[in-house]
Amino acid sequence: MATTTFVLPGQLLDPESLPSHPTLPLKLGPGLRHIPPNTITPTVAGQLCTDKRKNAVWVEFNGGRYVPTVGDLVIATIQKSSVDVYYASVSDYTSNATLPQLSFEARPRRRDRNSPLGHWSMARRLMLPKPAEQGGLVILEELGGQGVAFEIAVGRNGKVWVDSKSLKVGKSGRQYSIQKHLQEKSRHEYKAALKELKQTKEHEKKCIANMLKAEEDARANAVKAESQLRMQLMREEMRLKMELMREESEVRREAKRDDAVATGASPGASREPSRVAKRKRDYRIFRNNEVTLT
Amino acid sequence: MANSTEPSSLLSHLYRADGSATFSQNGYTVIGAVNGPIEVQRRDELPEEAAVDVIVRPAAGVGGTRERHLESILQSTLRQIILIQNFPRTLIQITLQVTSTPENDTAGSKLVQASSNLAILPTLLQTAVLTLLSASMPLSMTLTSVLLALSTNGPHRNIVPNPSLTQFQSADSVHVLAFTSHGELLVAESEGKFTLEDWDEVYETGKTLFYNEQDAINDDAMQGVGLDEKKGDMMMFVKSILEQKVKNDLHWKD
């Protein structure tokens, strides 16, 4: 039996809205504070809820950050264990809570354990044969859609624990399938975006590689062509040199013969030097050309 | 963008902050985010209460002395309404980013520095309060604030709540008043030339605007020339915005 009124921080509450009970004292839940002697005011914006049976009053609100409070039922994850104590993580931004190992009868599971801070008792778990309208949680809708029975526990620190005995995968596989499904939906788009990014990156890499290769090839070809040209020029040079030398040696031999013959035909002597001179001229022209080439 | 005196706001739109709000009024738009209670640096920690840190970032350029002045006013105000005794040795960090001012709307493409500190103070205060409410940070009370411009022609005083840019620049003095939900004055900042009697009347006007929301709208209570129930509007505005947010948050109950 809850009545709802919207309240703002510091608002004066109508005494009518607070429950009363003959024997039980009034219990203040989250979102309210008591200023002695008679004042009870909300501290957050939310709906004021009351429970006549337990004589309790609290403010229902959707908060930002969980602040650990004594008496809260939370879901904690065991991070590590030491000699006689488990270190359990309640939220990412608070330090670990310690749980004495002796408070468990049997060997507990590695993951998610229910325990309230400051009290070492187990929390209630809700058994649901089929989920009722659970807004917004994909995994529950999925399980429910398949008619699977599952357990769910919700901690005040904003963590939800879901387990199902009838999923036909192995123990670790069960958790894996739940986890996988939860992550799949949310990561589907992320993966697609990643794939696209990878593809474009690969394509880019390929283009760059092709470009570099083309550059290398062009460079190599240029060098090859140049060296070939040089080789050709050298060959020409050698050839001309050889011919020149041959002519010169021939002329020298003829000159010697002519001397031996004594007073030979003077026109003959002048003919050879002209032949040699022509070769020399050719060679000089060739060298000049080569110089201009290089 | 026309300067509308109708305030508008958006709550909890930044999902990585514990609480966030965007609030715009009179051409000023401020985005606020709060994180807390979070870890505090050793040198800043206070043994009995939470440290409150406010950062104001202007629309143009980097923060300078003017922003530090606004931050100091905001810090000393907000630490009186947040229940800091509940979280000793932690930090509550509030960041306020100004995204638009009326001067910038009229200046074209060039970003202009504001001429006065006070014009944006009510918007900053309101954004900070909405941010804290969106984060469900425990507060002892809520706060509403108003900007009043005073011009005196001889014996006649003309007090304009939420003045436009021209009214603001032509006024003799400008005043920022902030009242808590209990009706107490929490912030009183003034700039310009005025006498103590002038200030008294400004205070009365502010209080009247505030109490017009608490009581029924009463013509006898209105003083001065051309007053609207701007203050009452602000309280009602905050209430309706938060009511909408709570209704959305608790839709699973239905």
Side-chain angles (χ1 to χ4, degrees):
Chain A
M1 312 126 272
T3 53
T4 64
T5 359
F6 171 69
V7 290
L8 280 176
Q11 188 171 328
L12 292 170
L13 292 179
D14 184 12
E16 300 296 313
S17 57
L18 299 174
S20 63
H21 198 276
T23 51
L24 289 175
L26 183 66
K27 273 213 270 250
L28 292 184
L32 290 169
R33 82 176 168 134
H34 174 228
I35 308 173
N38 296 329
T39 322
I40 295 176
T41 68
T43 61
V44 292
Q47 259 182 12
L48 188 72
C49 300
T50 57
D51 187 337
K52 282 203 179 6
R53 199 169 52 87
K54 289 189 279 192
N55 203 31
V57 63
W58 69 95
V59 179
E60 199 79 55
F61 62 95
N62 192 15
R65 180 176 283 257
Y66 171 65
V67 174
T69 322
V70 173
D72 276 353
L73 299 174
V74 296
I75 295 185
T77 312
I78 309 287
Q79 300 285 26
K80 54 182 188 237
S81 62
S82 80
V83 181
D84 53 351
V85 121
Y86 285 121
Y87 292 100
S89 155
V90 173
S91 62
D92 293 335
Y93 44 84
T94 52
S95 52
N96 288 344
T98 51
L99 270 184
Q101 290 188 3
L102 296 174
S103 59
F104 300 106
E105 299 111 26
R107 174 122 180 77
R109 280 168 288 183
R110 249 344 250 185
R111 266 186 80 74
D112 298 345
R113 213 69 186 123
N114 284 353
S115 74
L117 278 177
H119 297 262
W120 310 125
S121 61
M122 303 304 286
R124 274 170 275 120
R125 282 187 224 163
L126 307 165
M127 291 282 298
L128 298 171
K130 270 201 186 78
E133 301 88 311
Q134 305 281 347
L137 202 53
V138 175
I139 177 62
L140 297 180
E141 285 163 10
E142 193 67 24
L143 286 177
Q146 296 176 9
V148 167
F150 63 91
E151 299 174 49
I152 171 175
V154 183
R156 273 204 74 82
N157 56 336
K159 305 236 192 267
V160 176
W161 180 86
V162 179
D163 186 24
S164 169
K165 302 254 184 307
S166 56
L167 278 180
K168 288 197 178 46
V169 198
K171 181 164 178 256
S172 58
R174 192 195 313 150
Q175 292 178 344
Y176 174 72
S177 74
I178 293 173
Q179 208 172 36
K180 193 170 89 142
H181 196 275
L182 255 176
Q183 292 175 344
E184 230 173 48
K185 287 262 166 101
S186 66
R187 269 164 59 170
H188 181 66
E189 285 172 15
Y190 177 67
K191 269 203 189 134
L194 244 149
K195 208 191 280 187
E196 213 182 295
L197 189 70
K198 210 161 50 157
Q199 278 176 346
T200 50
K201 269 214 178 121
E202 275 177 14
H203 178 73
E204 225 181 277
K205 254 191 254 172
K206 253 187 249 171
C207 289
I208 291 172
N210 283 349
M211 225 164 59
L212 286 173
K213 203 157 76 120
E215 249 176 77
E216 285 275 347
D217 288 343
R219 216 177 297 142
N221 285 347
V223 166
K224 234 188 275 175
E226 204 182 317
S227 66
Q228 265 183 1
L229 188 64
R230 222 182 273 273
M231 291 289 285
Q232 255 181 357
L233 289 173
M234 271 175 58
R235 258 184 243 124
E236 277 289 320
E237 191 179 337
M238 287 308 290
R239 191 171 58 83
L240 284 171
K241 248 198 211 157
M242 293 294 286
E243 290 193 10
L244 181 66
M245 274 172 46
R246 221 177 294 129
E247 290 290 337
E248 274 182 345
S249 62
E250 246 190 67
V251 164
R252 243 179 273 130
R253 245 181 277 128
E254 284 190 21
K256 255 198 239 149
R257 241 183 286 125
D258 285 346
D259 280 345
V261 169
T263 61
S266 20
S270 63
R271 214 176 351 135
E272 282 93 339
S274 77
R275 205 165 70 221
V276 171
K278 182 169 176 294
R279 283 273 178 229
K280 272 196 182 153
R281 207 173 45 236
D282 282 346
Y283 181 66
R284 216 175 296 131
I285 293 171
F286 172 80
R287 277 312 299 239
N288 279 342
N289 285 346
E290 202 191 68
V291 164
T292 54
L293 258 179
T294 57
Chain B
M1 179 172 84
N3 292 348
S4 66
T5 50
E6 285 303 313
S8 69
S9 85
L10 197 61
L11 288 182
S12 303
H13 53 308
L14 304 176
Y15 67 94
R16 295 191 71 129
D18 291 342
S20 57
T22 297
F23 177 73
S24 44
Q25 186 188 33
N26 274 350
Y28 291 101
T29 308
V30 178
I31 305 181
V34 68
N35 282 308
I38 56 177
E39 283 257 337
V40 66
Q41 297 277 349
R42 190 75 187 277
R43 59 164 193 253
D44 297 331
E45 78 176 359
L46 297 166
E48 309 227 331
E49 55 187 43
V52 174
D53 190 25
V54 183
I55 302 166
V56 172
R57 299 216 172 97
V62 297
T65 328
R66 167 174 299 156
E67 282 71 35
R68 303 296 150 256
H69 180 217
L70 292 169
E71 282 168 19
S72 74
I73 301 173
L74 281 162
Q75 200 261 355
S76 54
T77 312
L78 292 176
R79 65 179 284 283
Q80 294 178 63
I81 62 171
I82 304 176
L83 287 175
I84 47 181
Q85 306 288 337
N86 290 2
F87 317 109
R89 296 189 323 277
T90 58
L91 174 70
I92 295 172
Q93 182 187 63
I94 302 162
T95 312
L96 298 164
Q97 168 75 59
V98 182
T99 50
S100 82
T101 56
E103 294 98 345
N104 285 324
D105 291 336
T106 52
S109 59
K110 184 163 178 277
L111 284 176
V112 169
Q113 293 279 4
S115 56
S116 157
N117 275 357
L118 291 195
I120 198 166
L121 187 56
T123 318
L124 287 172
L125 278 167
Q126 208 58 65
T127 314
V129 169
L130 285 172
T131 311
L132 292 168
L133 287 168
S134 133
S136 300
M137 187 77 62
L139 302 175
S140 55
M141 55 195 116
T142 49
L143 189 75
T144 48
S145 79
V146 72
L147 180 70
L148 296 161
L150 170 71
S151 345
T152 52
N153 327 325
H156 179 66
R157 296 192 190 96
N158 188 21
I159 301 176
V160 181
N162 288 327
S164 67
L165 194 60
T166 41
Q167 287 170 322
F168 184 88
Q169 282 163 349
S170 62
D172 291 322
S173 60
V174 285
H175 309 263
V176 174
L177 296 176
F179 288 90
T180 69
S181 46
H182 299 158
E184 297 149 341
L185 181 71
L186 201 53
V187 178
E189 296 281 329
S190 308
E191 213 173 64
K193 187 158 165 261
F194 58 97
T195 65
L196 275 181
E197 288 81 22
D198 289 338
W199 191 89
D200 281 336
E201 187 156 332
V202 165
Y203 171 70
E204 288 303 319
T205 313
K207 209 154 95 156
T208 309
L209 288 174
F210 178 77
Y211 276 116
N212 266 339
E213 187 269 326
Q214 310 286 33
D215 316 327
I217 296 170
N218 190 352
D219 276 325
D220 303 320
M222 289 204 209
Q223 298 159 24
V225 178
L227 277 180
D228 307 331
E229 306 82 39
K230 283 293 188 304
K231 186 42 110 32
D233 279 354
M234 195 42 80
M235 200 64 208
M236 294 306 302
F237 170 76
V238 168
K239 202 159 171 214
S240 70
I241 281 283
L242 265 307
E243 206 165 340
Q244 190 63 35
K245 173 191 183 280
V246 167
K247 204 156 82 86
N248 287 342
D249 286 342
L250 299 179
H251 71 279
W252 51 268
K253 278 199 146 185
D254 312 322

